[in-house]
């Protein structure tokens, strides 16, 4: 079951990297979070900690339902151009993503060695998710892409923590979830205001912060 | 402790002989100019006349103008006490050396320059400015001469310069440099003209322009004494002769004659120099003193090399 | 690591004495100076800052721990910065403060580097422990440390070319602070040099002494030549401080040179001369600044061209300024004469004790010192003469009033001290011998230092004497006698009349000599260094009739133009080029952050 989930995560991440429009991006984010939710659920069933159930539940509620719905609604409200400005085109993005995969594989193999295969693979996948979140933030023009990039990076870190060390402490997880939710709300408000003021959310055009 | 009789004798000698040498310089100059000229003792008559005249002081002057002549006079006399004239060491020798002599004369010059500024006339200001300029540039020359002579004799004590010795190359060159510096210090042509009162050309005369009567007499006397000091030093360095150790009259008399002879030769040279060259532009005095400085460096190099 | 122990060896005690000697009269002076010109709250602030300033200086000279020294040093710099910009309403104050704080911190950076290097060897911040470690330090490290200390303390002392803050900061500060800064604060840098270079490092390379002497000679000459060109009294005094620091360093440098050549007697003697000039300069420079401050208070201007005739309205201030000018021009029988004479004798002793080319170097340096002394006399004739003598050149000078009593008390105290330090030179030399001995770790009980009958070199057998009291007595006696002689033969009082005016009908203050004119011969003679230039502007009605003629003459500020301005331009150019890193694109900034994190993560594993 696990390889399938991991495959699902990987596929969703690739979809995110090549997405050209914001709703596509958000949808792939949803798939990724869903796969993550499944993975956490299976871990919860296997180990039986009640906290893991709560965490996976929160994951479902927040990252699979609430946040994507909120973001999609935001897009409709501000009636922005749904085009996710690409600084690097689709094919090249895919090549970058493949490169990132290879790099993260090499790095985690260097760190953990070939001893524990599963852990190595999951660590590689999580590094790759973090890197692709970074990629989204740098090479996509709109502000929404940056928000989603942060969320993706947080996903990756969550996966890394749960794979390598059996999850972060419960309180920390709850706090992080809450934190993510609030920051998305705030960032949404910001995007709304940016759009109000500049009539666009193309961050590439906001370049007054210069030396 | 200095011996009081020695001090008094030295003071008397300086006070009595100093105007004579100045008169001798003008007499020789006039004779070269094919004139009979004034008598050799004219400066004495001038001083006597000045002592009888009344004084006029500028309204702008303050107490500095009034006390400056006395300070200048006493600084010259104090410096005069250091010169070994009749005794192996000057009567004040225990209390200052050649370097201190330069500073003591500097005290007089400081007050003279201040008094000149005190009157509020531009002549005085000009005189002060030029005098401080010339003396400032002459100080390194004097210092180098002191050092090169001192390196030969082992000390900056003036008495040390008096041992019977042969004049070495370094001491002769030092004496020439000292001569050039003395021309600057005693305000003689080519640095300054004592016979003129044109603002373009006067330096020392400009500073004493506002003085009259007895105060002017003190100032003049001070400059005569200063001149005598420098000339005595120069002759003693170039033609050293043994000083009498005791008050044995023939020795003393011999020494007096020798001294007068040497001073006359030097005075003659000074007069010839005054006649032959024209007074230099003020800003060329820097070059003149620079030449003296170079000579002084050469003399120290010779002293270092032991020549 | 850090402890607050205080070290009270003779060197520290001497500097404590110097600090208190100048700070106390300045504090008394400030009672009258601040009253009536500042509000009450500002006066309280001034007093608080003054107390902290003096305390920090006291801690600097007694600190035993390097960190404590550094903390006190920084507090001293900061508090003096606040005091420099005390009159912050004037723009010149803030510029001066900015230049001052930047330069003093640049110097402190060198000091910190040196202290860290010392710590690496000694593993402790205590001076005495470091002294032990320095005995085994290799010579290259000692050379590096020497250079760091020289630059670090040289910035604070005002050695050319690190002096440009001095003539900007000292005039702007209130006068009692100027006197403390010029009299004492720059001496703490000399304390640092003596403590760290001689006491700690051991001073065993001869080129150290020669380098210090060369820098000192340059400072002497450059300082006094610039002082001659100044019209602002306090700026003139500040440049003259640069010159006197050069003189003090001549003594210290000679001490280092002799010490490295294993000549203990001469080393102690030169250091005595240097320290004597240090305390003398503190006294007379403090006095001069206080007198200049009272002139400024009375007339509202520091420009000499607008002053004059103050000797009639402010006789006591004038007398104090005269005494200070006489002292700084090295006139007998005051204290400046004794210390300059001692330094010249130290040069002479070196010239007869060494062999080879060093002798010529020493002789020429001594001649340069004599030149500086002559120029200093010229400078102070100008300063005193133009400011105080003859006719007032402006209304404010004509209506000046004498300074209040507290200011006069401060000034007279320092004036009397100047005379005392001149007359009692011999006992002072004996005390200074102990101080110098402790700095150089030598036992001086066997050495005899006196101004009467001290043997220059045992072989030569020629003795030098300098009896200041007797010299003073003779000078004063002769002048009094001549004055008495004058009075006896004087039958009528002198007449007062107008000054000789060449037939002009209206001779007033505009006919007097000006300060600029006084220094013109020097401007021309030293033109190769000063590079004067003039600007003139004529407004004509017709070709033959000039209505107005404006004439300005300036001297080029050589160090600013050729060293500091190019350096600053280079820094600004580099900064401008760095701006290209920040073009404004958020994506680029994010990329910077992530790449850095990635690199750290990846390369962490390598460590």
């Amino acid at each position: 079951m696990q390889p399938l989930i991991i495959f699902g995560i990987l596929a969703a991440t690739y979809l995110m990297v090549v997405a050209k429009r914001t709703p596509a991006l958000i949808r792939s984010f949803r798939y990724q979070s869903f796969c993550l939710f499944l993975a956490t659920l299976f871990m919860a069933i296997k180990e039986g900690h009640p906290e893991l159930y709560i965490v996976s539940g929160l994951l479902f509620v927040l990252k699979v339902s609430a946040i994507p719905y909120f973001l999609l609604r935001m897009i409709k409200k501000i009636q922005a151009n749904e085009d996710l400005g690409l600084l690097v085109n689709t094919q090249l993005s895919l090549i970058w993503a493949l490169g990132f995969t290879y790099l993260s594989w090499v790095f985690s193999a260097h760190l953990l060695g070939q001893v524990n295969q599963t852990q190595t693979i999951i660590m590689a996948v999580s590094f790759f998710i973090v890197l692709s979140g970074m990629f989204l933030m740098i090479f996509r023009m709109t502000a929404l892409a940056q928000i989603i990039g942060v969320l993706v990076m947080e996903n990756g870190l969550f996966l890394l923590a749960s794979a390598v060390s059996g999850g972060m402490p419960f309180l920390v997880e709850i706090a992080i979830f809450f934190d993510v939710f609030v920051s998305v709300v705030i960032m949404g408000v910001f995007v709304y205001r940016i759009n109000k003021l500049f009539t666009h959310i193309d961050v590439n055009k906001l370049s007054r912060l210069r030396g | 402790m200095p011996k009081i009789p020695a001090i008094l004798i030295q003071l008397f000698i300086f006070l009595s002989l100093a105007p004579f040498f100045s008169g001798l310089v003008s007499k020789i100059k006039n004779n070269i100019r094919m004139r009979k000229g004034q008598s050799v003792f004219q400066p004495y008559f001038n001083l006597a006349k000045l002592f009888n005249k009344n004084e006029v002081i500028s309204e702008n002057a303050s107490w500095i103008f009034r006390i400056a002549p006395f300070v200048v006079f006493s600084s010259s006399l104090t410096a005069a006490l250091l010169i070994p004239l009749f005794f192996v060491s000057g009567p004040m020798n225990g209390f200052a050396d050649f370097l201190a002599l330069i500073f003591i004369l500097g005290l007089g010059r400081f007050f003279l320059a201040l008094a000149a500024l005190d009157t509020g006339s531009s002549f005085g200001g000009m005189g002060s400015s030029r005098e401080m300029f010339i003396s400032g540039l002459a100080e390194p020359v004097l210092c180098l001469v002191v050092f090169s002579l001192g390196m030969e004799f082992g000390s900056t004590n003036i008495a040390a310069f008096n041992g019977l010795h042969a004049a070495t190359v370094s001491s002769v060159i030092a004496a020439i440099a000292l001569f050039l510096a003395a021309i600057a210090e005693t305000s003689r042509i080519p640095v300054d003209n004592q016979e003129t009162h044109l603002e373009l050309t006067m330096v020392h005369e400009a500073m004493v322009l506002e003085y009259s009567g007895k105060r002017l007499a003190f100032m003049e006397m001070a400059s005569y004494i200063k001149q005598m000091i420098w000339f005595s030093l120069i002759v003693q360095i170039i033609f050293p002769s043994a000083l009498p150790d005791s008050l044995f009259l023939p020795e003393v008399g011999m020494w007096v004659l020798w001294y007068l002879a040497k001073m006359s030769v030097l005075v003659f040279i000074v007069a010839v120099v005054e006649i032959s060259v024209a007074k230099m532009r003020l800003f060329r005095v820097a070059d003149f003193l620079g030449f003296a400085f170079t000579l002084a460096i050469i003399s120290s190099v010779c002293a270092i090399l032991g020549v | 690591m850090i402890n607050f122990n205080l070290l009270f060896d003779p060197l520290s005690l001497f500097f404590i004495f110097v600090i208190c000697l100048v700070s106390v009269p300045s504090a008394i002076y400030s009672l009258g100076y601040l009253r009536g010109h500042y509000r009450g709250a500002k006066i309280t602030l001034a007093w608080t800052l003054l107390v902290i300033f003096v305390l920090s200086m006291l801690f600097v000279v007694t600190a035993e721990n390097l960190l404590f020294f550094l903390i006190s040093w920084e507090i001293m710099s900061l508090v003096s910065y606040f005091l420099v910009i005390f009159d912050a309403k004037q723009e010149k104050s803030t510029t001066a403060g900015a230049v001052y704080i930047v330069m003093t911190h640049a110097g402190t950076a060198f000091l910190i580097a040196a202290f860290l290097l010392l710590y690496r060897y000694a593993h402790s911040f205590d001076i005495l422990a470091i002294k032990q470690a320095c005995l085994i330090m290799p010579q290259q490290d000692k050379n590096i440390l020497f250079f760091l200390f020289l630059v670090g303390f040289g910035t604070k002392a005002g050695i050319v070319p690190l002096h440009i803050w001095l003539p900007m900061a000292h005039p702007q500060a209130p006068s009692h602070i100027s006197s403390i800064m010029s009299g004492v604060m720059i001496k703490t840098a000399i304390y640092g040099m003596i403590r760290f270079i001689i006491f700690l490092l051991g001073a065993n390379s001869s080129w150290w002494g020669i380098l210090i002497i060369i820098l000192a000679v340059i400072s002497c000459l450059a300082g006094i030549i610039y002082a001659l060109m100044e019209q602002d009294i306090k700026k003139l005094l500040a440049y003259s401080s640069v010159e006197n620091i050069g003189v003090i360093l001549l003594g210290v440098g000679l001490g280092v040179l002799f010490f490295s050549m294993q000549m203990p007697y001469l080393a102690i003697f030169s250091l005595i001369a240097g320290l004597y000039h240090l305390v003398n300069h503190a006294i007379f420079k403090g006095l001069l600044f206080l007198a200049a401050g009272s002139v400024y208070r009375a007339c509202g201007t520091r420009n000499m061209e607008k002053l004059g005739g103050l000797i009639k309205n402010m006789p006591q201030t004038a007398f104090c300024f005269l005494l200070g000018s006489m002292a700084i021009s090295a006139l007998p029988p005051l204290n400046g004469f004794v210390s300059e004479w001692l330094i010249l004798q130290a040069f002479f002793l070196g010239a007869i004790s060494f062999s080879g080319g060093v002798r010529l170097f020493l002789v020429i340096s001594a001649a340069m010192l004599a030149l500086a002394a002559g120029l200093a006399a010229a400078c102070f004739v100008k300063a005193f003469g133009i400011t105080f003598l003859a006719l007032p050149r402006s209304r404010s000078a004509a209506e000046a009033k004498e300074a209040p009593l507290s200011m006069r008390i401060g000034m007279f105290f320092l004036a009397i001290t100047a005379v005392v330090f001149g007359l009692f030179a011999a006992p002072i030399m004996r005390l200074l011998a102990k101080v110098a001995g402790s700095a150089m770790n030598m036992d001086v009980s066997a050495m005899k230092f006196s101004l009467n009958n001290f043997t220059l070199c045992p072989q030569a057998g020629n003795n030098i004497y300098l009896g200041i009291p007797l010299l003073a007595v003779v000078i004063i006696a002769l002048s009094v006698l001549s004055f008495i002689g004058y009075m006896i033969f004087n039958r009528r009082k002198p007449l007062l009349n107008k000054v000789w005016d060449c037939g002009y009908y209206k001779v007033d203050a505009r006919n007097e000599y000006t300060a600029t004119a006084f220094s013109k011969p020097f401007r021309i003679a030293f033109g190769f260094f000063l590079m004067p230039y003039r600007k003139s502007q004529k407004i004509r009605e017709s070709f033959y009739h000039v209505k107005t003629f404006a004439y300005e003459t300036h001297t080029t500020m050589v160090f600013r133009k050729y060293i500091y301005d190019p350096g600053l331009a280079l820094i600004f150019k580099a900064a401008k080029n760095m701006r290209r890193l920040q073009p404004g694109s958020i994506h680029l900034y994010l990329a910077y952050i992530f790449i850095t994190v990635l690199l750290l993560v990846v390369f962490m594993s390598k460590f």
Side-chain angles (χ1 to χ4, degrees):
Chain A
M1 206 46 196
Q2 258 205 328
L4 211 56
I5 299 181
I6 293 179
F7 178 72
I9 295 178
L10 269 181
T13 319
Y14 282 126
L15 277 178
M16 268 198 296
V17 164
V18 306
K20 269 167 90 157
R21 295 167 62 248
T22 319
L25 185 63
I26 297 179
R27 216 173 301 133
S28 355
F29 174 69
R30 201 179 240 167
Y31 293 156
Q32 190 189 51
S33 308
F34 184 66
C35 297
L36 213 59
F37 158 71
L38 283 179
T40 323
L41 197 62
F42 279 131
M43 204 183 313
I45 293 173
K46 199 157 54 154
E47 307 218 356
H49 291 282
E51 299 144 354
L52 283 173
Y53 282 111
I54 302 179
V55 164
S56 52
L58 269 178
L59 196 66
F60 184 82
V61 165
L62 276 182
K63 289 210 165 157
V64 179
S65 333
I67 290 180
Y69 168 71
F70 180 73
L71 288 173
L72 281 171
R73 217 190 62 173
M74 168 86 34
I75 293 175
K76 276 205 194 56
K77 194 156 86 154
I78 63 179
Q79 289 164 341
N81 187 1
E82 290 182 352
D83 196 10
L84 196 71
L86 295 180
L87 283 173
V88 176
N89 68 1
T90 323
Q91 291 88 338
L92 203 54
S93 311
L94 195 55
I95 296 178
W96 273 83
L98 289 172
F100 281 150
T101 322
Y102 176 66
L103 279 176
S104 45
W105 168 249
V106 164
F107 187 61
S108 59
H110 179 76
L111 269 189
L112 287 185
Q114 303 282 345
V115 174
N116 196 342
Q117 199 70 320
T118 332
Q119 255 198 342
T120 319
I121 295 180
I122 299 188
M123 192 183 209
V125 169
S126 49
F127 275 135
F128 168 58
I129 297 179
V130 169
L131 285 174
S132 65
M134 215 177 69
F135 181 80
L136 278 182
M137 284 176 81
I138 295 179
F139 289 111
R140 298 289 179 254
M141 283 201 251
T142 60
L144 281 170
Q146 322 238 301
I147 299 176
I148 295 177
V150 172
L151 294 170
V152 164
M153 285 176 84
E154 205 275 321
N155 264 352
L157 287 176
F158 176 76
L159 185 60
L160 181 63
S162 49
V164 170
S165 60
M168 295 183 264
F170 180 63
L171 213 52
V172 174
E173 300 239 350
I174 301 289
I176 290 179
F177 276 124
F178 182 66
D179 190 27
V180 163
F181 178 66
V182 169
S183 36
V184 169
V185 169
I186 293 179
M187 283 196 253
V189 171
F190 261 119
V191 167
Y192 177 68
R193 302 238 81 167
I194 290 176
N195 186 52
K196 215 61 187 306
L197 188 60
F198 294 103
T199 66
H200 69 82
I201 53 170
D202 186 349
V203 177
N204 206 27
K205 297 212 187 87
L206 304 175
S207 62
R208 292 270 296 274
L209 182 68
R210 56 163 67 230
Chain B
M1 273 308 284
K3 299 181 280 289
I4 302 283
I7 295 184
L8 291 176
I9 295 179
Q10 180 110 339
L11 284 177
F12 176 72
I13 294 171
F14 265 92
L15 285 173
S16 49
L17 272 184
F20 169 71
F21 290 117
S22 191
L24 193 60
V25 173
S26 355
K27 181 78 172 174
I28 298 179
K29 270 165 62 173
N30 283 324
N31 279 343
I32 299 181
R33 285 175 186 150
M34 309 288 251
R35 300 200 320 226
K36 194 158 160 232
Q38 55 208 9
S39 127
V40 179
F41 301 102
Q42 185 63 33
Y44 294 98
F45 301 141
N46 285 344
L47 288 173
K49 171 186 80 174
L50 283 173
F51 255 97
N52 280 328
K53 281 196 134 184
N54 198 20
E55 281 184 58
V56 179
I57 294 188
S58 153
E59 326 175 283
N60 309 329
S62 64
W63 56 270
I64 293 202
F65 183 84
R66 290 163 214 256
I67 68 157
F70 307 112
V71 176
V72 175
F73 182 63
S74 90
S75 78
S76 297
L77 273 185
T78 315
L81 286 176
L82 294 170
I83 308 295
L85 258 202
F86 269 132
F87 312 95
V88 177
S89 50
M92 277 275 293
N93 187 55
F95 300 95
D97 67 336
F98 208 141
L99 284 173
L101 178 125
I102 302 176
F103 285 113
I104 294 173
L105 289 174
L107 172 68
R109 193 168 34 238
F110 189 83
F111 272 91
L112 181 58
L114 281 183
L117 278 171
D118 199 12
T119 59
S121 92
S122 338
F123 291 111
M126 253 188 277
S128 305
S129 158
R130 294 167 180 175
E131 171 70 22
M132 298 312 288
F133 173 65
I134 295 173
S135 68
L137 290 180
E139 280 218 17
V141 180
L142 293 171
C143 180
L144 266 182
V145 164
V146 169
F147 270 50
S148 73
L149 290 173
M151 278 198 286
E152 264 203 65
F153 304 123
S155 137
T156 56
N157 202 348
I158 304 187
F161 301 160
N162 277 321
L164 233 195
H165 57 275
T168 59
V169 173
S170 103
S171 69
V172 168
I173 301 183
I176 298 177
L178 190 57
F179 176 70
L180 294 178
I183 288 183
E185 290 274 321
T186 57
S187 318
R188 297 225 155 256
I189 293 181
V191 174
D192 179 18
N193 195 349
Q194 285 181 349
E195 296 167 351
T196 177
H197 283 96
L198 300 171
E199 68 265 20
L200 278 179
T201 54
M202 47 175 186
V203 178
H204 181 263
E205 288 300 314
M207 292 196 285
V208 298
L209 195 68
E210 287 290 324
Y211 279 109
S212 49
K214 294 183 186 55
R215 287 194 160 94
L216 182 57
F218 279 112
M219 286 288 201
E220 294 286 324
M221 196 63 199
S223 75
Y224 296 149
I225 294 173
K226 205 159 91 165
Q227 176 180 267
M228 186 169 164
I229 292 174
W230 287 117
F231 288 173
S232 310
L233 279 172
I234 295 173
V235 298
Q236 196 62 14
I237 293 170
I238 293 195
F239 297 129
S241 58
L243 284 159
D245 327 321
S246 59
L247 283 171
F248 192 40
L249 215 47
E251 262 193 44
V252 168
M254 195 64 203
W255 193 89
V256 166
L257 284 175
W258 252 125
Y259 176 73
L260 287 175
K262 287 187 291 184
M263 285 291 272
S264 314
V265 169
L266 182 63
V267 156
F268 180 76
I269 296 177
V270 169
V272 166
V273 166
E274 283 219 305
I275 290 288
S276 338
V277 300
K279 178 181 164 336
M280 273 193 270
R281 227 191 117 193
L282 177 72
F283 306 126
R284 297 237 5 242
V285 174
D287 299 335
F288 176 75
L289 288 170
F291 175 64
F293 185 72
T294 320
L295 276 182
I297 292 186
I298 294 177
S299 103
S300 8
V301 168
C302 293
I304 291 175
L305 291 175
V307 175
Chain C
M1 277 293 252
I2 177 171
N3 58 30
F4 293 100
N5 291 347
L6 299 178
L7 179 66
F8 284 112
D9 68 349
L11 188 65
S12 315
L13 288 172
F14 171 68
F15 274 92
I16 293 178
F17 171 71
V18 172
I19 293 176
C20 295
L21 187 66
V22 176
S23 308
V24 169
S26 303
I28 299 177
Y29 175 92
S30 69
L31 282 171
Y33 185 79
L34 294 171
R35 193 190 322 141
H37 284 270
Y38 294 109
R39 293 190 328 271
K42 203 136 192 227
I43 296 184
T44 322
L45 178 66
W47 272 102
T48 322
L49 287 175
L50 175 68
V51 166
I52 300 178
F53 186 37
V54 174
L55 274 179
S56 65
M57 281 193 288
L58 287 173
F59 284 133
V60 163
V61 300
T62 52
E64 192 177 7
N65 184 306
L66 286 185
L67 288 178
F68 184 35
F69 179 91
L70 210 53
I71 294 177
S72 323
W73 185 265
E74 277 296 299
I75 295 180
M76 184 176 77
S77 310
L78 276 177
V79 173
S80 53
Y81 166 72
F82 285 122
L83 286 166
V84 164
I85 59 166
F86 201 64
D87 270 329
K89 302 225 185 73
Q90 305 176 17
E91 192 210 309
K92 279 204 276 190
S93 288
T94 39
T95 326
V99 171
Y100 171 52
I101 200 79
V102 166
M103 288 217 67
T104 195
H105 272 103
T108 314
F110 280 88
L111 283 185
I112 296 180
F115 287 167
L116 289 176
L117 202 55
L118 279 176
Y119 180 74
R120 228 186 88 205
Y121 271 99
H123 303 291
S124 146
F125 278 115
D126 274 324
I127 289 187
L128 296 170
I130 294 180
K131 194 168 146 64
Q132 295 298 85
C134 282
L135 295 171
I136 47 172
M137 202 187 281
Q139 190 59 32
Q140 295 97 297
D141 290 328
K142 279 197 184 175
N143 290 345
I144 297 178
L145 277 171
F146 167 71
F147 176 70
L148 289 173
F149 281 130
L150 191 65
V151 175
F153 286 119
T155 320
K156 187 61 134 191
I159 305 180
V160 164
L162 302 163
H163 69 288
I164 55 164
W165 62 271
L166 239 166
M168 293 176 81
H170 284 207
Q172 298 300 329
S175 302
H176 62 289
I177 298 296
S178 300
S179 84
I180 299 182
M181 277 174 80
S182 202
V184 175
M185 192 183 75
I186 50 187
K187 311 300 192 302
T188 56
I190 308 283
Y191 163 78
M193 279 193 203
I194 298 179
R195 174 71 76 195
F196 288 98
I197 297 181
I198 300 182
F199 184 71
L200 274 190
L201 286 183
N204 48 11
S205 296
S206 59
W207 67 269
W208 290 5
I210 295 187
L211 180 64
I212 295 182
I213 295 178
I214 293 177
L215 285 175
V217 166
I218 298 178
S219 301
C220 272
L221 290 176
I224 198 61
I225 293 175
Y226 277 125
L228 273 168
M229 298 295 123
E230 282 298 326
Q231 262 65 273
D232 179 343
I233 307 182
K234 284 172 79 168
K235 220 166 174 187
L236 185 149
L237 293 175
Y239 272 119
S240 161
S241 291
V242 173
E243 184 235 344
N244 279 290
I245 286 286
V247 177
I248 298 173
L249 280 177
L250 278 176
V252 171
L254 274 175
V256 171
L257 181 64
F258 289 137
F259 188 69
S260 66
M261 298 288 207
Q262 319 289 343
M263 296 181 180
Y265 183 86
L266 293 178
I268 298 275
F269 180 69
S270 327
L271 199 55
I272 289 178
L275 291 175
Y276 204 151
H277 197 80
L278 191 144
V279 66
N280 286 343
H281 178 242
I283 296 172
F284 54 64
K285 195 40 74 67
L287 173 63
L288 284 169
F289 264 111
L290 294 184
S294 81
V295 166
Y296 178 52
R297 263 289 161 262
C299 304
T301 175
R302 293 198 298 256
N303 188 1
M304 274 193 272
E305 309 274 24
K306 301 246 183 334
L307 298 171
L310 294 176
I311 196 169
K312 303 199 180 64
N313 293 334
M314 306 173 71
Q316 294 168 12
T317 308
F319 179 72
C320 293
F321 198 94
L322 177 65
L323 216 61
S325 307
M326 284 172 69
I328 204 170
S329 313
L331 300 183
L334 296 175
N335 52 6
F337 163 63
V338 180
S339 50
E340 291 222 15
W341 186 87
L342 282 174
I343 295 185
L344 282 171
Q345 281 295 339
F347 269 113
F348 181 68
L349 287 174
I352 53 178
S353 313
F354 281 138
S355 56
V358 187
R359 296 172 81 179
L360 188 62
F361 169 70
L362 288 177
V363 162
I364 293 188
S365 310
M368 294 294 107
L369 173 62
L371 176 65
L375 292 178
C379 183
F380 279 92
V381 163
K382 169 180 137 180
F384 180 73
I386 306 276
T387 312
F388 287 95
L389 298 179
L391 285 171
R393 293 179 177 84
S394 70
R395 262 270 290 276
S396 50
E399 295 170 354
K401 294 211 190 25
E402 181 61 88
L405 181 65
S406 56
M407 289 164 77
R408 278 181 277 156
I409 290 179
M411 288 194 281
F412 272 110
F413 178 77
L414 284 175
I416 295 173
T417 320
V419 176
V420 162
F421 268 69
L423 292 179
F424 293 103
I428 293 178
M429 269 183 80
R430 274 192 283 275
L431 284 173
L432 285 174
K434 289 205 196 79
V435 174
S438 96
M440 292 186 162
N441 305 310
M442 284 195 263
D443 182 19
V444 290
S445 49
M447 304 188 193
K448 223 164 57 91
F449 289 101
S450 81
L451 283 175
N452 293 334
N453 196 19
F454 74 80
T455 319
L456 276 184
C457 44
Q459 302 94 328
N462 285 316
N463 296 336
I464 285 283
Y465 308 85
L466 186 69
I468 306 277
L470 197 65
L471 195 60
V473 162
V474 169
I475 293 179
I476 295 179
L478 281 174
S479 40
V480 167
L481 279 174
S482 46
F483 186 69
I484 292 177
Y486 164 80
M487 293 299 275
I488 291 178
F489 291 105
N490 202 10
R491 274 164 300 176
R492 279 183 288 183
K493 279 175 65 91
L495 288 173
L496 286 182
N497 208 338
K498 285 203 301 223
V499 70
W500 166 244
D501 55 10
C502 268
Y504 282 139
Y505 54 89
K506 192 169 96 150
V507 168
D508 59 356
R510 299 244 359 227
N511 287 87
E512 287 177 312
Y513 224 53
T514 61
T516 318
F518 195 95
S519 46
K520 171 131 192 203
F522 301 99
R523 199 154 43 238
I524 295 193
F526 295 111
F528 62 92
F529 173 67
L530 291 167
M531 296 192 265
Y533 59 93
R534 56 169 80 132
K535 293 194 266 194
S536 56
Q537 186 189 46
K538 289 187 182 133
I539 299 183
R540 299 169 187 269
E541 265 184 2
S542 70
F543 183 72
Y544 301 101
H545 183 206
V546 177
K547 255 179 69 168
T548 341
F549 183 30
Y551 172 87
E552 289 176 26
T553 168
H554 300 263
T555 57
T556 322
M557 306 195 68
V558 171
F559 293 101
R560 286 261 281 263
K561 190 167 142 196
Y562 291 110
I563 301 183
Y564 285 94
D565 285 345
L568 284 176
L570 208 65
I571 294 181
F572 282 131
K573 206 163 80 135
K576 259 209 196 113
N577 285 342
M578 295 265 273
R579 284 173 68 176
R580 293 209 224 119
L581 279 179
Q582 271 194 307
S585 155
I586 295 183
H587 304 281
L588 193 59
Y589 300 159
L590 284 171
Y592 284 152
I593 298 175
F594 288 135
I595 291 177
T596 316
V597 170
L598 272 183
L599 284 174
L600 279 178
V601 166
V602 166
F603 287 106
M604 257 321 184
S605 57
K606 289 250 190 316
F607 298 123

